[in-house]
Amino acid sequence: MTPRIVFTINSGLNDRNEQEPSVGPAGVVDGDSAEAYRDNLVALIGRIETLYADRVGDVSELFFLVIPSHPVDEAGSALEAELAGYREAARDFAVSRDRVLVADISQLTSSVEMDQSGWYASDGREHLTFAGYRELGSRVVSEVLFHGCRADQNADGLLDGSDFSAWLDAFLDGGGLAGRADMNGDGTLDSSDFNAWLTGFLAGCDE
């Protein structure tokens, strides 16, 4: 059996305070910009792959899960705008690379749900309660597990009518499940997401 090793990279909040240039090949001077965030991802993953290749072997065994910050405020606010840039930079980077997946927590919950659920810690919105960590962690794991076949919305390994029901529930949820319904990954929910789900359903899953 081929080994599989997954590195998880959590970042975003502290990046907003970065004053030094990025450490990747681009060397972006504006260290807290989305461009610098992406360049740092390039550097971090490149360093891990280099060390692995030197000391172990085949880097195709390595996979990377990038998890930008949870939402800290309403979408479109000044606090969220910078984090939204980091999320977009992470998605752009993942598209350009094999073996890199992004779990966008802002597509799995909202600041409204987090407030109502008591998931922000009392010392500030940057930190989470235990319940917040547990719930968001569970949603990230669920997102990763079904990512390989997004048409399999209930992640049971089968494609049938229950997957459409699960997709529709996510589409209508408007909260923590909305990211699962966003089949084309454009950040909005509309009829194109149903078309993308149906295309995947008809194509079937290899695994």
Side-chain angles (χ1 to χ4, degrees), residues 120-142:
Y120 293 120
S122 59
D123 62 346
R125 300 169 77 86
E126 289 80 6
H127 301 114
L128 305 180
T129 61
F130 176 78
Y133 278 115
R134 181 175 58 189
E135 178 60 27
L136 296 186
S138 175
R139 292 185 184 187
V140 167
V141 170
S142 178

PDB file of all heavy atoms in Angstrom, residues 120-142:
ATOM      1  N   TYR A 120     -17.083  31.562  19.518  1.00  0.00           N
ATOM      2  CA  TYR A 120     -15.978  32.482  19.767  1.00  0.00           C
ATOM      3  C   TYR A 120     -15.650  32.463  21.252  1.00  0.00           C
ATOM      4  O   TYR A 120     -16.537  32.500  22.102  1.00  0.00           O
ATOM      5  CB  TYR A 120     -16.355  33.908  19.367  1.00  0.00           C
ATOM      6  CG  TYR A 120     -16.568  34.140  17.898  1.00  0.00           C
ATOM      7  CD1 TYR A 120     -17.796  34.600  17.427  1.00  0.00           C
ATOM      8  CD2 TYR A 120     -15.549  33.927  16.971  1.00  0.00           C
ATOM      9  CE1 TYR A 120     -18.008  34.837  16.075  1.00  0.00           C
ATOM     10  CE2 TYR A 120     -15.753  34.160  15.620  1.00  0.00           C
ATOM     11  CZ  TYR A 120     -16.979  34.614  15.166  1.00  0.00           C
ATOM     12  OH  TYR A 120     -17.189  34.847  13.838  1.00  0.00           O
ATOM     13  N   ALA A 121     -14.363  32.413  21.578  1.00  0.00           N
ATOM     14  CA  ALA A 121     -13.948  32.413  22.974  1.00  0.00           C
ATOM     15  C   ALA A 121     -14.151  33.802  23.582  1.00  0.00           C
ATOM     16  O   ALA A 121     -14.229  34.805  22.865  1.00  0.00           O
ATOM     17  CB  ALA A 121     -12.482  32.001  23.094  1.00  0.00           C
ATOM     18  N   SER A 122     -14.221  33.849  24.898  1.00  0.00           N
ATOM     19  CA  SER A 122     -14.502  35.111  25.589  1.00  0.00           C
ATOM     20  C   SER A 122     -13.364  36.111  25.482  1.00  0.00           C
ATOM     21  O   SER A 122     -13.560  37.309  25.707  1.00  0.00           O
ATOM     22  CB  SER A 122     -14.810  34.835  27.070  1.00  0.00           C
ATOM     23  OG  SER A 122     -13.713  34.178  27.693  1.00  0.00           O
ATOM     24  N   ASP A 123     -12.155  35.652  25.132  1.00  0.00           N
ATOM     25  CA  ASP A 123     -11.010  36.567  25.051  1.00  0.00           C
ATOM     26  C   ASP A 123     -10.861  37.179  23.659  1.00  0.00           C
ATOM     27  O   ASP A 123      -9.879  37.865  23.378  1.00  0.00           O
ATOM     28  CB  ASP A 123      -9.715  35.850  25.449  1.00  0.00           C
ATOM     29  CG  ASP A 123      -9.379  34.691  24.523  1.00  0.00           C
ATOM     30  OD1 ASP A 123     -10.255  34.267  23.750  1.00  0.00           O
ATOM     31  OD2 ASP A 123      -8.230  34.216  24.567  1.00  0.00           O
ATOM     32  N   GLY A 124     -11.809  36.956  22.776  1.00  0.00           N
ATOM     33  CA  GLY A 124     -11.748  37.569  21.453  1.00  0.00           C
ATOM     34  C   GLY A 124     -12.190  36.620  20.368  1.00  0.00           C
ATOM     35  O   GLY A 124     -12.163  35.400  20.521  1.00  0.00           O
ATOM     36  N   ARG A 125     -12.589  37.170  19.219  1.00  0.00           N
ATOM     37  CA  ARG A 125     -13.134  36.375  18.136  1.00  0.00           C
ATOM     38  C   ARG A 125     -12.064  35.582  17.386  1.00  0.00           C
ATOM     39  O   ARG A 125     -12.377  34.719  16.576  1.00  0.00           O
ATOM     40  CB  ARG A 125     -13.893  37.286  17.173  1.00  0.00           C
ATOM     41  CG  ARG A 125     -15.045  38.011  17.848  1.00  0.00           C
ATOM     42  CD  ARG A 125     -15.609  39.107  16.968  1.00  0.00           C
ATOM     43  NE  ARG A 125     -16.443  38.604  15.914  1.00  0.00           N
ATOM     44  CZ  ARG A 125     -17.750  38.352  16.039  1.00  0.00           C
ATOM     45  NH1 ARG A 125     -18.352  38.532  17.205  1.00  0.00           N
ATOM     46  NH2 ARG A 125     -18.444  37.924  15.015  1.00  0.00           N
ATOM     47  N   GLU A 126     -10.798  35.897  17.666  1.00  0.00           N
ATOM     48  CA  GLU A 126      -9.718  35.152  17.018  1.00  0.00           C
ATOM     49  C   GLU A 126      -9.572  33.747  17.585  1.00  0.00           C
ATOM     50  O   GLU A 126      -8.994  32.865  16.956  1.00  0.00           O
ATOM     51  CB  GLU A 126      -8.390  35.896  17.161  1.00  0.00           C
ATOM     52  CG  GLU A 126      -8.274  37.160  16.332  1.00  0.00           C
ATOM     53  CD  GLU A 126      -8.968  38.356  16.958  1.00  0.00           C
ATOM     54  OE1 GLU A 126      -9.455  38.217  18.117  1.00  0.00           O
ATOM     55  OE2 GLU A 126      -9.018  39.426  16.322  1.00  0.00           O
ATOM     56  N   HIS A 127     -10.055  33.533  18.805  1.00  0.00           N
ATOM     57  CA  HIS A 127      -9.938  32.227  19.451  1.00  0.00           C
ATOM     58  C   HIS A 127     -11.313  31.579  19.570  1.00  0.00           C
ATOM     59  O   HIS A 127     -12.339  32.259  19.550  1.00  0.00           O
ATOM     60  CB  HIS A 127      -9.296  32.372  20.832  1.00  0.00           C
ATOM     61  CG  HIS A 127      -7.942  32.982  20.790  1.00  0.00           C
ATOM     62  ND1 HIS A 127      -7.653  34.214  21.328  1.00  0.00           N
ATOM     63  CD2 HIS A 127      -6.795  32.540  20.223  1.00  0.00           C
ATOM     64  CE1 HIS A 127      -6.383  34.510  21.122  1.00  0.00           C
ATOM     65  NE2 HIS A 127      -5.837  33.516  20.448  1.00  0.00           N
ATOM     66  N   LEU A 128     -11.308  30.256  19.689  1.00  0.00           N
ATOM     67  CA  LEU A 128     -12.549  29.494  19.721  1.00  0.00           C
ATOM     68  C   LEU A 128     -12.737  28.802  21.066  1.00  0.00           C
ATOM     69  O   LEU A 128     -11.777  28.540  21.787  1.00  0.00           O
ATOM     70  CB  LEU A 128     -12.552  28.439  18.615  1.00  0.00           C
ATOM     71  CG  LEU A 128     -12.314  28.916  17.181  1.00  0.00           C
ATOM     72  CD1 LEU A 128     -12.357  27.730  16.230  1.00  0.00           C
ATOM     73  CD2 LEU A 128     -13.309  29.976  16.776  1.00  0.00           C
ATOM     74  N   THR A 129     -13.981  28.499  21.366  1.00  0.00           N
ATOM     75  CA  THR A 129     -14.283  27.644  22.503  1.00  0.00           C
ATOM     76  C   THR A 129     -14.002  26.198  22.114  1.00  0.00           C
ATOM     77  O   THR A 129     -13.804  25.879  20.936  1.00  0.00           O
ATOM     78  CB  THR A 129     -15.758  27.780  22.904  1.00  0.00           C
ATOM     79  OG1 THR A 129     -16.570  27.357  21.790  1.00  0.00           O
ATOM     80  CG2 THR A 129     -16.101  29.215  23.259  1.00  0.00           C
ATOM     81  N   PHE A 130     -14.003  25.320  23.104  1.00  0.00           N
ATOM     82  CA  PHE A 130     -13.816  23.900  22.801  1.00  0.00           C
ATOM     83  C   PHE A 130     -14.901  23.415  21.849  1.00  0.00           C
ATOM     84  O   PHE A 130     -14.623  22.681  20.885  1.00  0.00           O
ATOM     85  CB  PHE A 130     -13.844  23.074  24.090  1.00  0.00           C
ATOM     86  CG  PHE A 130     -13.746  21.589  23.838  1.00  0.00           C
ATOM     87  CD1 PHE A 130     -12.532  21.004  23.544  1.00  0.00           C
ATOM     88  CD2 PHE A 130     -14.883  20.792  23.893  1.00  0.00           C
ATOM     89  CE1 PHE A 130     -12.439  19.644  23.295  1.00  0.00           C
ATOM     90  CE2 PHE A 130     -14.798  19.429  23.653  1.00  0.00           C
ATOM     91  CZ  PHE A 130     -13.575  18.850  23.352  1.00  0.00           C
ATOM     92  N   ALA A 131     -16.141  23.840  22.097  1.00  0.00           N
ATOM     93  CA  ALA A 131     -17.248  23.428  21.221  1.00  0.00           C
ATOM     94  C   ALA A 131     -17.027  23.940  19.804  1.00  0.00           C
ATOM     95  O   ALA A 131     -17.340  23.254  18.832  1.00  0.00           O
ATOM     96  CB  ALA A 131     -18.572  23.951  21.770  1.00  0.00           C
ATOM     97  N   GLY A 132     -16.472  25.146  19.676  1.00  0.00           N
ATOM     98  CA  GLY A 132     -16.193  25.696  18.360  1.00  0.00           C
ATOM     99  C   GLY A 132     -15.144  24.893  17.625  1.00  0.00           C
ATOM    100  O   GLY A 132     -15.310  24.566  16.439  1.00  0.00           O
ATOM    101  N   TYR A 133     -14.039  24.574  18.319  1.00  0.00           N
ATOM    102  CA  TYR A 133     -13.005  23.750  17.696  1.00  0.00           C
ATOM    103  C   TYR A 133     -13.559  22.397  17.267  1.00  0.00           C
ATOM    104  O   TYR A 133     -13.280  21.897  16.169  1.00  0.00           O
ATOM    105  CB  TYR A 133     -11.840  23.542  18.663  1.00  0.00           C
ATOM    106  CG  TYR A 133     -10.863  24.679  18.713  1.00  0.00           C
ATOM    107  CD1 TYR A 133     -10.706  25.436  19.873  1.00  0.00           C
ATOM    108  CD2 TYR A 133     -10.083  25.002  17.606  1.00  0.00           C
ATOM    109  CE1 TYR A 133      -9.804  26.488  19.926  1.00  0.00           C
ATOM    110  CE2 TYR A 133      -9.174  26.048  17.653  1.00  0.00           C
ATOM    111  CZ  TYR A 133      -9.038  26.784  18.807  1.00  0.00           C
ATOM    112  OH  TYR A 133      -8.145  27.828  18.858  1.00  0.00           O
ATOM    113  N   ARG A 134     -14.342  21.798  18.139  1.00  0.00           N
ATOM    114  CA  ARG A 134     -14.876  20.462  17.852  1.00  0.00           C
ATOM    115  C   ARG A 134     -15.807  20.489  16.645  1.00  0.00           C
ATOM    116  O   ARG A 134     -15.681  19.655  15.735  1.00  0.00           O
ATOM    117  CB  ARG A 134     -15.620  19.935  19.073  1.00  0.00           C
ATOM    118  CG  ARG A 134     -16.191  18.525  18.891  1.00  0.00           C
ATOM    119  CD  ARG A 134     -16.805  18.026  20.169  1.00  0.00           C
ATOM    120  NE  ARG A 134     -17.864  18.907  20.648  1.00  0.00           N
ATOM    121  CZ  ARG A 134     -18.463  18.800  21.833  1.00  0.00           C
ATOM    122  NH1 ARG A 134     -18.063  17.866  22.684  1.00  0.00           N
ATOM    123  NH2 ARG A 134     -19.424  19.623  22.179  1.00  0.00           N
ATOM    124  N   GLU A 135     -16.726  21.451  16.594  1.00  0.00           N
ATOM    125  CA  GLU A 135     -17.687  21.499  15.501  1.00  0.00           C
ATOM    126  C   GLU A 135     -17.017  21.866  14.173  1.00  0.00           C
ATOM    127  O   GLU A 135     -17.265  21.226  13.146  1.00  0.00           O
ATOM    128  CB  GLU A 135     -18.800  22.496  15.817  1.00  0.00           C
ATOM    129  CG  GLU A 135     -19.830  22.657  14.701  1.00  0.00           C
ATOM    130  CD  GLU A 135     -20.550  21.369  14.349  1.00  0.00           C
ATOM    131  OE1 GLU A 135     -20.669  20.479  15.222  1.00  0.00           O
ATOM    132  OE2 GLU A 135     -21.006  21.239  13.193  1.00  0.00           O
ATOM    133  N   LEU A 136     -16.172  22.889  14.190  1.00  0.00           N
ATOM    134  CA  LEU A 136     -15.523  23.284  12.941  1.00  0.00           C
ATOM    135  C   LEU A 136     -14.547  22.208  12.474  1.00  0.00           C
ATOM    136  O   LEU A 136     -14.421  21.956  11.268  1.00  0.00           O
ATOM    137  CB  LEU A 136     -14.807  24.620  13.115  1.00  0.00           C
ATOM    138  CG  LEU A 136     -15.712  25.821  13.412  1.00  0.00           C
ATOM    139  CD1 LEU A 136     -14.903  27.105  13.419  1.00  0.00           C
ATOM    140  CD2 LEU A 136     -16.855  25.915  12.421  1.00  0.00           C
ATOM    141  N   GLY A 137     -13.865  21.553  13.417  1.00  0.00           N
ATOM    142  CA  GLY A 137     -12.988  20.449  13.047  1.00  0.00           C
ATOM    143  C   GLY A 137     -13.759  19.323  12.396  1.00  0.00           C
ATOM    144  O   GLY A 137     -13.326  18.741  11.393  1.00  0.00           O
ATOM    145  N   SER A 138     -14.933  19.029  12.929  1.00  0.00           N
ATOM    146  CA  SER A 138     -15.778  17.979  12.373  1.00  0.00           C
ATOM    147  C   SER A 138     -16.226  18.337  10.959  1.00  0.00           C
ATOM    148  O   SER A 138     -16.245  17.487  10.059  1.00  0.00           O
ATOM    149  CB  SER A 138     -16.999  17.767  13.267  1.00  0.00           C
ATOM    150  OG  SER A 138     -17.891  16.836  12.709  1.00  0.00           O
ATOM    151  N   ARG A 139     -16.551  19.600  10.754  1.00  0.00           N
ATOM    152  CA  ARG A 139     -16.992  20.024   9.427  1.00  0.00           C
ATOM    153  C   ARG A 139     -15.852  19.971   8.417  1.00  0.00           C
ATOM    154  O   ARG A 139     -16.072  19.624   7.255  1.00  0.00           O
ATOM    155  CB  ARG A 139     -17.595  21.433   9.495  1.00  0.00           C
ATOM    156  CG  ARG A 139     -18.901  21.477  10.268  1.00  0.00           C
ATOM    157  CD  ARG A 139     -19.542  22.838  10.237  1.00  0.00           C
ATOM    158  NE  ARG A 139     -20.740  22.854  11.077  1.00  0.00           N
ATOM    159  CZ  ARG A 139     -21.595  23.872  11.157  1.00  0.00           C
ATOM    160  NH1 ARG A 139     -21.377  24.967  10.437  1.00  0.00           N
ATOM    161  NH2 ARG A 139     -22.647  23.809  11.951  1.00  0.00           N
ATOM    162  N   VAL A 140     -14.661  20.334   8.849  1.00  0.00           N
ATOM    163  CA  VAL A 140     -13.507  20.253   7.950  1.00  0.00           C
ATOM    164  C   VAL A 140     -13.249  18.805   7.550  1.00  0.00           C
ATOM    165  O   VAL A 140     -13.031  18.493   6.376  1.00  0.00           O
ATOM    166  CB  VAL A 140     -12.256  20.864   8.604  1.00  0.00           C
ATOM    167  CG1 VAL A 140     -10.993  20.491   7.816  1.00  0.00           C
ATOM    168  CG2 VAL A 140     -12.379  22.374   8.696  1.00  0.00           C
ATOM    169  N   VAL A 141     -13.270  17.895   8.526  1.00  0.00           N
ATOM    170  CA  VAL A 141     -13.048  16.475   8.231  1.00  0.00           C
ATOM    171  C   VAL A 141     -14.106  15.959   7.272  1.00  0.00           C
ATOM    172  O   VAL A 141     -13.810  15.256   6.296  1.00  0.00           O
ATOM    173  CB  VAL A 141     -13.048  15.650   9.531  1.00  0.00           C
ATOM    174  CG1 VAL A 141     -13.072  14.158   9.214  1.00  0.00           C
ATOM    175  CG2 VAL A 141     -11.828  15.985  10.375  1.00  0.00           C
ATOM    176  N   SER A 142     -15.364  16.322   7.507  1.00  0.00           N
ATOM    177  CA  SER A 142     -16.445  15.888   6.633  1.00  0.00           C
ATOM    178  C   SER A 142     -16.236  16.427   5.223  1.00  0.00           C
ATOM    179  O   SER A 142     -16.436  15.712   4.235  1.00  0.00           O
ATOM    180  CB  SER A 142     -17.788  16.379   7.191  1.00  0.00           C
ATOM    181  OG  SER A 142     -18.847  16.012   6.341  1.00  0.00           O
TER     182      SER A 142
END
